[in-house]
Amino acid sequence: MSEKIDFKKNIERLDEIVNLISNKALSLEESLKLYEEGQQIIKLLSEELKAAEEKVENIVDIK
């Protein structure tokens, strides 16, 4: 994905997915589809957090 990740939007969607799976009587297929989407979002967010952490470490090392 070449577009910049909208961190807040992805967190909100992840929260929505958790609530849907937890509070709704979904079919197994629907639950798995949402779970898969959630895993993809988690991967994207983890990558963005790692990149931010590396930037902070570089800034701290410079000073």
Side-chain angles (χ1 to χ4, degrees):
M1 182 179 222
S2 61
E3 296 176 11
K4 177 138 177 83
I5 299 170
D6 185 345
F7 194 84
K8 183 178 179 184
K9 181 179 174 184
N10 280 325
I11 290 290
E12 289 170 354
R13 178 60 181 153
L14 190 57
D15 187 48
E16 181 182 350
I17 290 170
V18 169
N19 287 328
L20 284 170
I21 291 174
S22 298
N23 299 326
K24 303 288 182 187
L26 302 174
S27 70
L28 179 58
E29 184 178 317
E30 291 171 313
S31 294
L32 288 173
K33 191 174 186 179
L34 286 170
Y35 179 81
E36 203 170 66
E37 181 184 349
Q39 288 298 313
Q40 291 171 350
I41 292 171
I42 289 169
K43 182 180 178 189
L44 291 172
L45 293 173
S46 293
E47 290 170 359
E48 186 170 346
L49 286 172
K50 182 169 177 52
E53 181 180 8
E54 289 172 1
K55 286 181 184 178
V56 170
E57 287 174 355
N58 287 336
I59 292 169
V60 172
D61 287 343
I62 292 172
K63 293 184 177 182

